[in-house]
Amino acid sequence: HALLSDPSGPEAAIGRMRPPVFGPRRDALLTQARQWSLDAAERALTALIDADLALRSSSRAPALAVMERALVRIAMMRRR
């Protein structure tokens, strides 16, 4: 999300990250950043926060199922 929301672009944002990111990991982060829109990244963060809240609440939902559904939703977001 930080890479996508930077007004000067993901390349500039990754240069300011601490700790610094180098080599193949940097290339992988930039590739992923180019495949996501800011809107989709924000929806993915919302899905993770909702899953976290569901797991921390007094809900009787199985933890594995809650996380599995959230991750499947996030995986499907990238395809759109």
Side-chain angles (χ1 to χ4, degrees):
H1 183 262
L3 295 179
L4 294 173
S5 62
D6 194 295
S8 51
E11 291 82 8
I14 204 166
R16 290 191 297 272
M17 287 182 79
R18 296 291 176 249
V21 182
F22 297 105
R25 191 171 287 177
R26 177 187 178 99
D27 297 337
L29 274 173
L30 285 173
T31 300
Q32 285 292 317
R34 288 184 189 112
Q35 293 177 353
W36 284 82
S37 68
L38 181 59
D39 181 55
E42 288 176 349
R43 284 186 284 128
L45 283 174
T46 300
L48 287 174
I49 291 169
D50 291 344
D52 180 54
L53 290 174
L55 293 172
R56 291 175 190 254
S57 73
S58 60
S59 169
R60 296 213 182 260
L64 185 61
V66 170
M67 277 310 301
E68 194 173 73
R69 287 185 187 116
L71 293 175
V72 167
R73 272 189 234 115
I74 291 169
M76 297 302 289
M77 283 179 197
R78 190 174 146 243
R79 291 186 185 180
R80 294 179 187 169

